[in-house]
Amino acid sequence: MNNSPDSRQRGIATWVYIVLLVATAAASFLILMLYQNIVARKAEATKDVFRVVEVSDQTEDPAIWGKNYPRQYDSYKRTVDTERTTHGGSEAFQHLDKDPVWRRLFAGYAFGVDYREERGHAYMLVDQRETERVKQFKQPGACLQCHASTLNAYINEGIKAGIPAGKEHWEEQIQKGFEVVCKMPYSEATKLVEHPVSCIDCHDAENMNLRVNRPGFLNGIRALANSDYPTPHLPSIERWRKEGRQGRYEPNKDATRQELRSMVCAQCHVEYYFKGEGKLVTYPWDKGLKVEQMEAYYDEVKHTDFKNKESGAAILKAQHPEFEMWSQGIHARSGVACADCHMPYVREGAIKVSNHHVRSPLLNVAQACQTCHRVSEQEIKARALLVQDRNAALLTRGEQAVVGLLDAITLALKSGATDAQLQAARDLHRKAQWRLDFVSAENSMGFHAPQEAARILAEAIDYARQGELAVARDMKPASGAGATSAAQQ
């Protein structure tokens, strides 16, 4: 056997060659496997739609859309889930039992009879049909704009009213149908709809682009655009103004996709009222989105929702002004849309889709918050709850202040106070309760804009205490009258 140094070196070289050859082959195999996986994932990513059925703007049932978009539909179906958070959630508890002061504040109005926490989107139509506010009180078809998939009802009624058929007359049809349905009795109008919010309420069936179609929103956002109210969080409006306000503002053409990811929510999650005899759903945005600007609009058009049975004050009832409150906050100014937090993107394999299980971000911190905020879930929840707890404490103090004013007016009435003597106090009651209710009815418990919510509640408390002082001041007899009375004795 040859054990010479040269022979040993040749043997080592041979083994090195073999090892390198095997390693190269293994690396090549692994690279090919990785390439094959990448190709497969890319191919998978293109299959975000399954063309199983044809859908159009006439397709209302989300289950039919779900055959083509199973991932989105699977998460949409989960809006039936009921889960409570510290200050809200989707459990239909009775606010009037949890916080009985609102029975007095809403005395004389339907909300003083039934005022429940909202459940998920899947329940929005059935819950409205079953509320005592509908069963015990006559309501108009206007209520349906935010509780049902109304697009086809509006289109059909618009065509019946004389608007030509065809997509080129699409907005004319929905605007006219909207007018017809709004003034119908609710008992008749509700027969025209079958589903809660559906795919066609936010998407164009032809291309799945986001689209707004609620007439109340279309009219409201144009009124806002026509005003001089600054909208840094809606850059398309600022751009439309800068370019000379040519034509009318068209959100479906002018707004960016990111803006539309908030606008589709703002079709319903807003403040509104039923205007005139036609009960037309109207957003009070002509002067801006702040609480005092909407109040000024209501004062100008002399709108009142009800008279409080105890005080006799003409009261405004806030609806659910999430869009308006969000518009004052840091997330809106940073370009964060409603959907970024309430419908965050999720990955299923290679597919990225928007989660249609619309809910509180506090129930989904990892996807809703930690995409931007690189801190622990525990810390994020602690910060959010700190904001909400402080807002809730201020809200309680606001309730106490407004009830204090209510007590003062009630006592004055028992003492024989005249309407003239109570006018100033009643006006202040209107101002105070409008602000208190604005924050209470808004569904973020102050989180959408903490400083703005605190400012509004501070004003509510201030106006309520001013009202108590007004009662004491205006109930005092004039000094001259008191002197005359003493002299006569």
Side-chain angles (χ1 to χ4, degrees), residues 201-253:
D201 297 303
C202 302
H203 293 281
D204 187 325
E206 290 184 3
N207 49 33
M208 286 305 291
N209 287 342
L210 289 172
R211 178 184 69 184
V212 288
N213 55 47
R214 291 289 202 271
F217 176 80
L218 290 169
N219 299 333
I221 199 69
R222 286 168 184 153
L224 179 65
N226 286 327
S227 75
D228 294 322
Y229 176 76
T231 56
H233 62 303
L234 300 173
S236 64
I237 292 180
E238 296 287 320
R239 184 171 58 252
W240 176 81
R241 291 169 177 169
K242 187 177 180 180
E243 292 174 354
R245 305 181 184 232
Q246 301 293 322
R248 67 180 183 182
Y249 176 73
E250 297 287 357
N252 290 317
K253 294 180 181 177

Short mmCIF file of all heavy atoms in Angstrom, two decimals, residues 201-253:
data_model
loop_
_atom_site.label_atom_id
_atom_site.label_comp_id
_atom_site.label_asym_id
_atom_site.label_seq_id
_atom_site.Cartn_x
_atom_site.Cartn_y
_atom_site.Cartn_z
N ASP A 201 -72.56 47.61 -0.62
CA ASP A 201 -72.60 48.88 0.09
C ASP A 201 -71.24 49.56 0.15
O ASP A 201 -71.16 50.75 0.46
CB ASP A 201 -73.16 48.67 1.50
CG ASP A 201 -74.59 48.18 1.47
OD1 ASP A 201 -75.43 48.87 0.87
OD2 ASP A 201 -74.86 47.11 2.03
N CYS A 202 -70.18 48.81 -0.14
CA CYS A 202 -68.83 49.36 -0.10
C CYS A 202 -68.02 49.09 -1.36
O CYS A 202 -66.96 49.70 -1.54
CB CYS A 202 -68.06 48.79 1.10
SG CYS A 202 -68.84 49.09 2.70
N HIS A 203 -68.47 48.18 -2.22
CA HIS A 203 -67.68 47.77 -3.39
C HIS A 203 -68.48 47.89 -4.67
O HIS A 203 -69.69 47.61 -4.71
CB HIS A 203 -67.22 46.32 -3.23
CG HIS A 203 -66.23 46.10 -2.14
ND1 HIS A 203 -64.89 46.39 -2.26
CD2 HIS A 203 -66.40 45.61 -0.87
CE1 HIS A 203 -64.27 46.09 -1.13
NE2 HIS A 203 -65.16 45.62 -0.26
N ASP A 204 -67.78 48.25 -5.75
CA ASP A 204 -68.33 48.20 -7.09
C ASP A 204 -68.21 46.77 -7.59
O ASP A 204 -67.11 46.21 -7.63
CB ASP A 204 -67.54 49.15 -8.00
CG ASP A 204 -68.15 49.31 -9.38
OD1 ASP A 204 -68.70 48.32 -9.90
OD2 ASP A 204 -68.07 50.41 -9.94
N ALA A 205 -69.32 46.17 -7.99
CA ALA A 205 -69.32 44.76 -8.38
C ALA A 205 -68.46 44.49 -9.61
O ALA A 205 -67.95 43.38 -9.78
CB ALA A 205 -70.75 44.29 -8.63
N GLU A 206 -68.29 45.49 -10.47
CA GLU A 206 -67.54 45.26 -11.71
C GLU A 206 -66.05 45.09 -11.46
O GLU A 206 -65.39 44.29 -12.13
CB GLU A 206 -67.77 46.43 -12.67
CG GLU A 206 -69.18 46.48 -13.25
CD GLU A 206 -69.33 47.59 -14.26
OE1 GLU A 206 -68.31 48.29 -14.54
OE2 GLU A 206 -70.45 47.78 -14.78
N ASN A 207 -65.49 45.83 -10.51
CA ASN A 207 -64.04 45.78 -10.32
C ASN A 207 -63.62 45.68 -8.85
O ASN A 207 -62.43 45.67 -8.55
CB ASN A 207 -63.41 47.04 -10.92
CG ASN A 207 -64.10 48.31 -10.48
OD1 ASN A 207 -64.60 48.40 -9.35
ND2 ASN A 207 -64.13 49.31 -11.36
N MET A 208 -64.58 45.62 -7.94
CA MET A 208 -64.35 45.51 -6.50
C MET A 208 -63.68 46.74 -5.91
O MET A 208 -63.21 46.72 -4.77
CB MET A 208 -63.54 44.26 -6.15
CG MET A 208 -64.36 42.98 -6.25
SD MET A 208 -65.87 43.03 -5.26
CE MET A 208 -65.23 43.00 -3.60
N ASN A 209 -63.60 47.83 -6.66
CA ASN A 209 -63.10 49.08 -6.09
C ASN A 209 -64.01 49.53 -4.95
O ASN A 209 -65.23 49.30 -4.99
CB ASN A 209 -63.04 50.18 -7.15
CG ASN A 209 -61.91 49.97 -8.13
OD1 ASN A 209 -60.98 49.22 -7.86
ND2 ASN A 209 -62.00 50.62 -9.28
N LEU A 210 -63.42 50.18 -3.95
CA LEU A 210 -64.24 50.76 -2.89
C LEU A 210 -65.10 51.87 -3.48
O LEU A 210 -64.69 52.61 -4.37
CB LEU A 210 -63.36 51.32 -1.78
CG LEU A 210 -62.66 50.27 -0.92
CD1 LEU A 210 -61.68 50.94 0.03
CD2 LEU A 210 -63.65 49.44 -0.14
N ARG A 211 -66.33 51.96 -2.95
CA ARG A 211 -67.28 52.94 -3.49
C ARG A 211 -68.26 53.34 -2.40
O ARG A 211 -68.70 52.51 -1.61
CB ARG A 211 -68.05 52.31 -4.66
CG ARG A 211 -69.09 53.20 -5.29
CD ARG A 211 -69.87 52.47 -6.37
NE ARG A 211 -70.72 51.43 -5.81
CZ ARG A 211 -71.46 50.59 -6.55
NH1 ARG A 211 -71.40 50.66 -7.86
NH2 ARG A 211 -72.22 49.69 -5.96
N VAL A 212 -68.59 54.63 -2.35
CA VAL A 212 -69.63 55.10 -1.42
C VAL A 212 -70.91 55.33 -2.21
O VAL A 212 -70.88 55.85 -3.33
CB VAL A 212 -69.20 56.38 -0.69
CG1 VAL A 212 -68.13 56.08 0.33
CG2 VAL A 212 -68.72 57.46 -1.65
N ASN A 213 -72.03 54.92 -1.63
CA ASN A 213 -73.31 55.07 -2.35
C ASN A 213 -74.46 55.52 -1.47
O ASN A 213 -75.58 55.65 -1.95
CB ASN A 213 -73.68 53.77 -3.07
CG ASN A 213 -73.73 52.57 -2.15
OD1 ASN A 213 -74.31 52.62 -1.07
ND2 ASN A 213 -73.11 51.46 -2.56
N ARG A 214 -74.21 55.76 -0.17
CA ARG A 214 -75.27 56.25 0.69
C ARG A 214 -75.53 57.73 0.36
O ARG A 214 -74.63 58.57 0.49
CB ARG A 214 -74.89 56.13 2.17
CG ARG A 214 -74.81 54.69 2.69
CD ARG A 214 -76.20 54.08 2.80
NE ARG A 214 -76.25 52.97 3.72
CZ ARG A 214 -76.02 51.69 3.43
NH1 ARG A 214 -75.68 51.38 2.19
NH2 ARG A 214 -76.12 50.75 4.34
N PRO A 215 -76.75 58.08 -0.06
CA PRO A 215 -77.02 59.47 -0.45
C PRO A 215 -76.74 60.47 0.66
O PRO A 215 -76.27 61.58 0.40
CB PRO A 215 -78.50 59.45 -0.82
CG PRO A 215 -78.78 58.02 -1.19
CD PRO A 215 -77.91 57.20 -0.30
N GLY A 216 -77.04 60.11 1.91
CA GLY A 216 -76.76 61.01 3.02
C GLY A 216 -75.29 61.39 3.07
O GLY A 216 -74.94 62.56 3.29
N PHE A 217 -74.41 60.41 2.86
CA PHE A 217 -72.98 60.70 2.88
C PHE A 217 -72.57 61.51 1.66
O PHE A 217 -71.78 62.47 1.78
CB PHE A 217 -72.16 59.41 2.93
CG PHE A 217 -70.68 59.66 2.86
CD1 PHE A 217 -69.97 60.05 3.99
CD2 PHE A 217 -70.00 59.56 1.66
CE1 PHE A 217 -68.62 60.33 3.92
CE2 PHE A 217 -68.64 59.83 1.57
CZ PHE A 217 -67.94 60.22 2.71
N LEU A 218 -73.04 61.13 0.49
CA LEU A 218 -72.67 61.86 -0.72
C LEU A 218 -73.02 63.34 -0.60
O LEU A 218 -72.22 64.22 -0.94
CB LEU A 218 -73.38 61.25 -1.94
CG LEU A 218 -72.89 59.85 -2.35
CD1 LEU A 218 -73.84 59.24 -3.39
CD2 LEU A 218 -71.48 59.90 -2.91
N ASN A 219 -74.22 63.61 -0.07
CA ASN A 219 -74.64 65.00 0.10
C ASN A 219 -73.82 65.69 1.20
O ASN A 219 -73.45 66.85 1.08
CB ASN A 219 -76.13 65.07 0.44
CG ASN A 219 -76.99 64.49 -0.66
OD1 ASN A 219 -76.61 64.49 -1.83
ND2 ASN A 219 -78.18 63.99 -0.31
N GLY A 220 -73.55 64.95 2.28
CA GLY A 220 -72.83 65.52 3.41
C GLY A 220 -71.38 65.84 3.08
O GLY A 220 -70.87 66.90 3.45
N ILE A 221 -70.69 64.93 2.38
CA ILE A 221 -69.27 65.16 2.10
C ILE A 221 -69.12 66.30 1.09
O ILE A 221 -68.12 67.04 1.12
CB ILE A 221 -68.60 63.85 1.60
CG1 ILE A 221 -67.07 63.93 1.75
CG2 ILE A 221 -68.97 63.54 0.16
CD1 ILE A 221 -66.58 63.92 3.17
N ARG A 222 -70.11 66.46 0.22
CA ARG A 222 -70.06 67.60 -0.72
C ARG A 222 -70.30 68.91 0.02
O ARG A 222 -69.67 69.92 -0.31
CB ARG A 222 -71.08 67.38 -1.83
CG ARG A 222 -70.65 66.32 -2.83
CD ARG A 222 -71.77 65.90 -3.75
NE ARG A 222 -71.34 64.81 -4.62
CZ ARG A 222 -72.16 63.90 -5.15
NH1 ARG A 222 -73.46 63.98 -4.93
NH2 ARG A 222 -71.68 62.95 -5.94
N ALA A 223 -71.21 68.89 0.99
CA ALA A 223 -71.43 70.10 1.79
C ALA A 223 -70.15 70.46 2.55
O ALA A 223 -69.78 71.64 2.65
CB ALA A 223 -72.58 69.89 2.76
N LEU A 224 -69.46 69.45 3.08
CA LEU A 224 -68.19 69.69 3.78
C LEU A 224 -67.15 70.25 2.82
O LEU A 224 -66.44 71.20 3.14
CB LEU A 224 -67.70 68.38 4.41
CG LEU A 224 -66.36 68.47 5.15
CD1 LEU A 224 -66.47 69.36 6.38
CD2 LEU A 224 -65.88 67.08 5.55
N ALA A 225 -67.06 69.67 1.62
CA ALA A 225 -66.09 70.13 0.63
C ALA A 225 -66.36 71.58 0.24
O ALA A 225 -65.43 72.37 0.05
CB ALA A 225 -66.12 69.23 -0.60
N ASN A 226 -67.63 71.94 0.13
CA ASN A 226 -68.00 73.30 -0.26
C ASN A 226 -67.74 74.33 0.83
O ASN A 226 -67.74 75.53 0.57
CB ASN A 226 -69.48 73.35 -0.67
CG ASN A 226 -69.72 72.71 -2.03
OD1 ASN A 226 -68.86 72.79 -2.91
ND2 ASN A 226 -70.86 72.08 -2.20
N SER A 227 -67.56 73.86 2.07
CA SER A 227 -67.27 74.78 3.17
C SER A 227 -65.79 75.15 3.15
O SER A 227 -65.02 74.70 2.30
CB SER A 227 -67.62 74.12 4.51
OG SER A 227 -66.64 73.14 4.87
N ASP A 228 -65.38 75.98 4.11
CA ASP A 228 -63.98 76.34 4.24
C ASP A 228 -63.32 75.61 5.41
O ASP A 228 -62.20 75.96 5.81
CB ASP A 228 -63.83 77.85 4.44
CG ASP A 228 -64.27 78.63 3.20
OD1 ASP A 228 -64.01 78.15 2.08
OD2 ASP A 228 -64.91 79.70 3.34
N TYR A 229 -63.99 74.61 5.94
CA TYR A 229 -63.46 73.86 7.08
C TYR A 229 -62.21 73.09 6.66
O TYR A 229 -62.22 72.35 5.67
CB TYR A 229 -64.52 72.90 7.60
CG TYR A 229 -64.07 72.00 8.72
CD1 TYR A 229 -63.94 72.49 10.01
CD2 TYR A 229 -63.76 70.66 8.49
CE1 TYR A 229 -63.52 71.67 11.05
CE2 TYR A 229 -63.34 69.83 9.52
CZ TYR A 229 -63.22 70.34 10.80
OH TYR A 229 -62.80 69.54 11.82
N PRO A 230 -61.09 73.24 7.36
CA PRO A 230 -59.85 72.53 6.98
C PRO A 230 -60.02 71.01 7.07
O PRO A 230 -60.57 70.50 8.05
CB PRO A 230 -58.83 73.02 8.01
CG PRO A 230 -59.40 74.28 8.57
CD PRO A 230 -60.89 74.11 8.54
N THR A 231 -59.55 70.30 6.05
CA THR A 231 -59.65 68.84 6.04
C THR A 231 -58.29 68.22 5.71
O THR A 231 -58.14 67.54 4.69
CB THR A 231 -60.70 68.36 5.01
OG1 THR A 231 -60.34 68.90 3.71
CG2 THR A 231 -62.09 68.83 5.37
N PRO A 232 -57.28 68.41 6.56
CA PRO A 232 -55.97 67.83 6.26
C PRO A 232 -55.99 66.31 6.21
O PRO A 232 -55.12 65.71 5.56
CB PRO A 232 -55.09 68.35 7.42
CG PRO A 232 -56.06 68.66 8.52
CD PRO A 232 -57.29 69.15 7.83
N HIS A 233 -56.95 65.70 6.87
CA HIS A 233 -57.04 64.24 6.85
C HIS A 233 -57.77 63.72 5.61
O HIS A 233 -57.83 62.50 5.40
CB HIS A 233 -57.76 63.76 8.11
CG HIS A 233 -59.17 64.23 8.25
ND1 HIS A 233 -59.50 65.58 8.25
CD2 HIS A 233 -60.34 63.56 8.39
CE1 HIS A 233 -60.81 65.71 8.39
NE2 HIS A 233 -61.33 64.51 8.46
N LEU A 234 -58.33 64.63 4.81
CA LEU A 234 -58.99 64.27 3.56
C LEU A 234 -58.34 65.09 2.44
O LEU A 234 -58.90 66.07 1.95
CB LEU A 234 -60.50 64.55 3.64
CG LEU A 234 -61.26 63.80 4.73
CD1 LEU A 234 -62.70 64.29 4.82
CD2 LEU A 234 -61.24 62.29 4.48
N PRO A 235 -57.14 64.71 2.02
CA PRO A 235 -56.38 65.53 1.08
C PRO A 235 -57.06 65.74 -0.27
O PRO A 235 -56.80 66.73 -0.94
CB PRO A 235 -55.05 64.77 0.93
CG PRO A 235 -55.32 63.38 1.41
CD PRO A 235 -56.38 63.51 2.44
N SER A 236 -57.93 64.83 -0.67
CA SER A 236 -58.60 65.00 -1.97
C SER A 236 -59.53 66.21 -1.94
O SER A 236 -59.71 66.88 -2.97
CB SER A 236 -59.39 63.74 -2.35
OG SER A 236 -60.43 63.49 -1.43
N ILE A 237 -60.13 66.51 -0.79
CA ILE A 237 -60.97 67.70 -0.68
C ILE A 237 -60.11 68.95 -0.76
O ILE A 237 -60.46 69.92 -1.45
CB ILE A 237 -61.79 67.67 0.63
CG1 ILE A 237 -62.85 66.55 0.56
CG2 ILE A 237 -62.45 69.02 0.89
CD1 ILE A 237 -63.71 66.45 1.81
N GLU A 238 -58.98 68.95 -0.06
CA GLU A 238 -58.07 70.09 -0.13
C GLU A 238 -57.59 70.32 -1.56
O GLU A 238 -57.49 71.47 -2.02
CB GLU A 238 -56.87 69.85 0.80
CG GLU A 238 -57.21 69.76 2.28
CD GLU A 238 -57.58 71.11 2.87
OE1 GLU A 238 -56.95 72.11 2.52
OE2 GLU A 238 -58.54 71.15 3.67
N ARG A 239 -57.30 69.24 -2.26
CA ARG A 239 -56.83 69.35 -3.65
C ARG A 239 -57.94 69.89 -4.55
O ARG A 239 -57.70 70.76 -5.40
CB ARG A 239 -56.36 67.98 -4.14
CG ARG A 239 -55.75 67.99 -5.54
CD ARG A 239 -55.11 66.66 -5.88
NE ARG A 239 -56.03 65.55 -5.79
CZ ARG A 239 -56.01 64.63 -4.84
NH1 ARG A 239 -55.11 64.67 -3.88
NH2 ARG A 239 -56.89 63.64 -4.83
N TRP A 240 -59.16 69.40 -4.36
CA TRP A 240 -60.31 69.86 -5.15
C TRP A 240 -60.55 71.35 -4.94
O TRP A 240 -60.82 72.09 -5.89
CB TRP A 240 -61.55 69.04 -4.75
CG TRP A 240 -62.82 69.48 -5.42
CD1 TRP A 240 -63.25 69.16 -6.68
CD2 TRP A 240 -63.85 70.29 -4.84
NE1 TRP A 240 -64.47 69.74 -6.93
CE2 TRP A 240 -64.87 70.43 -5.82
CE3 TRP A 240 -64.01 70.92 -3.61
CZ2 TRP A 240 -66.03 71.17 -5.58
CZ3 TRP A 240 -65.15 71.65 -3.37
CH2 TRP A 240 -66.15 71.78 -4.34
N ARG A 241 -60.41 71.81 -3.72
CA ARG A 241 -60.56 73.24 -3.43
C ARG A 241 -59.45 74.04 -4.10
O ARG A 241 -59.68 75.09 -4.71
CB ARG A 241 -60.54 73.48 -1.92
CG ARG A 241 -61.75 72.95 -1.16
CD ARG A 241 -61.49 73.01 0.33
NE ARG A 241 -62.63 72.59 1.13
CZ ARG A 241 -62.59 72.36 2.43
NH1 ARG A 241 -61.44 72.52 3.09
NH2 ARG A 241 -63.66 71.99 3.10
N LYS A 242 -58.22 73.54 -3.97
CA LYS A 242 -57.06 74.25 -4.52
C LYS A 242 -57.16 74.38 -6.02
O LYS A 242 -56.70 75.38 -6.61
CB LYS A 242 -55.77 73.52 -4.12
CG LYS A 242 -54.50 74.26 -4.48
CD LYS A 242 -53.28 73.50 -3.98
CE LYS A 242 -51.99 74.23 -4.34
NZ LYS A 242 -50.79 73.50 -3.85
N GLU A 243 -57.77 73.39 -6.68
CA GLU A 243 -57.88 73.41 -8.14
C GLU A 243 -59.08 74.21 -8.63
O GLU A 243 -59.45 74.13 -9.80
CB GLU A 243 -57.94 71.98 -8.66
CG GLU A 243 -56.62 71.22 -8.46
CD GLU A 243 -56.71 69.75 -8.84
OE1 GLU A 243 -57.84 69.28 -9.15
OE2 GLU A 243 -55.67 69.07 -8.82
N GLY A 244 -59.70 74.96 -7.72
CA GLY A 244 -60.75 75.88 -8.13
C GLY A 244 -62.17 75.37 -7.98
O GLY A 244 -63.10 75.97 -8.54
N ARG A 245 -62.33 74.25 -7.24
CA ARG A 245 -63.67 73.72 -6.99
C ARG A 245 -64.44 73.51 -8.29
O ARG A 245 -65.60 73.91 -8.43
CB ARG A 245 -64.45 74.62 -6.03
CG ARG A 245 -63.71 74.90 -4.72
CD ARG A 245 -64.51 75.76 -3.78
NE ARG A 245 -63.74 76.08 -2.57
CZ ARG A 245 -64.18 75.91 -1.33
NH1 ARG A 245 -65.38 75.42 -1.11
NH2 ARG A 245 -63.43 76.23 -0.29
N GLN A 246 -63.77 72.87 -9.25
CA GLN A 246 -64.39 72.62 -10.55
C GLN A 246 -65.48 71.56 -10.42
O GLN A 246 -65.24 70.47 -9.94
CB GLN A 246 -63.33 72.15 -11.55
CG GLN A 246 -62.19 73.14 -11.77
CD GLN A 246 -62.65 74.42 -12.44
OE1 GLN A 246 -63.50 74.38 -13.33
NE2 GLN A 246 -62.10 75.54 -12.03
N GLY A 247 -66.69 71.88 -10.90
CA GLY A 247 -67.78 70.93 -10.78
C GLY A 247 -68.10 70.67 -9.33
O GLY A 247 -67.87 71.50 -8.45
N ARG A 248 -68.59 69.50 -9.03
CA ARG A 248 -68.84 69.13 -7.63
C ARG A 248 -67.85 68.06 -7.20
O ARG A 248 -67.36 67.28 -8.02
CB ARG A 248 -70.28 68.65 -7.43
CG ARG A 248 -70.63 67.33 -8.11
CD ARG A 248 -72.07 66.96 -7.84
NE ARG A 248 -72.39 65.66 -8.44
CZ ARG A 248 -73.59 65.09 -8.40
NH1 ARG A 248 -74.59 65.74 -7.80
NH2 ARG A 248 -73.81 63.91 -8.95
N TYR A 249 -67.58 68.02 -5.93
CA TYR A 249 -66.67 67.02 -5.40
C TYR A 249 -67.28 65.63 -5.54
O TYR A 249 -68.43 65.40 -5.14
CB TYR A 249 -66.36 67.31 -3.93
CG TYR A 249 -65.49 66.27 -3.27
CD1 TYR A 249 -64.13 66.19 -3.57
CD2 TYR A 249 -66.02 65.37 -2.36
CE1 TYR A 249 -63.33 65.23 -2.96
CE2 TYR A 249 -65.22 64.41 -1.75
CZ TYR A 249 -63.87 64.35 -2.06
OH TYR A 249 -63.07 63.39 -1.46
N GLU A 250 -66.53 64.71 -6.15
CA GLU A 250 -67.00 63.34 -6.38
C GLU A 250 -66.10 62.37 -5.63
O GLU A 250 -65.01 62.04 -6.09
CB GLU A 250 -67.00 63.00 -7.87
CG GLU A 250 -67.92 63.84 -8.73
CD GLU A 250 -69.39 63.48 -8.51
OE1 GLU A 250 -69.67 62.53 -7.74
OE2 GLU A 250 -70.25 64.14 -9.11
N PRO A 251 -66.52 61.92 -4.45
CA PRO A 251 -65.64 61.05 -3.65
C PRO A 251 -65.21 59.78 -4.38
O PRO A 251 -64.08 59.31 -4.20
CB PRO A 251 -66.47 60.74 -2.40
CG PRO A 251 -67.88 61.05 -2.77
CD PRO A 251 -67.81 62.15 -3.77
N ASN A 252 -66.10 59.23 -5.21
CA ASN A 252 -65.76 57.98 -5.90
C ASN A 252 -64.74 58.18 -7.01
O ASN A 252 -64.16 57.21 -7.50
CB ASN A 252 -67.02 57.33 -6.46
CG ASN A 252 -67.91 56.77 -5.36
OD1 ASN A 252 -67.41 56.15 -4.42
ND2 ASN A 252 -69.20 56.99 -5.46
N LYS A 253 -64.50 59.43 -7.41
CA LYS A 253 -63.48 59.73 -8.42
C LYS A 253 -62.30 60.48 -7.83
O LYS A 253 -61.15 60.26 -8.21
CB LYS A 253 -64.11 60.56 -9.55
CG LYS A 253 -65.16 59.81 -10.37
CD LYS A 253 -65.72 60.71 -11.46
CE LYS A 253 -66.80 59.98 -12.27
NZ LYS A 253 -67.41 60.87 -13.30
#
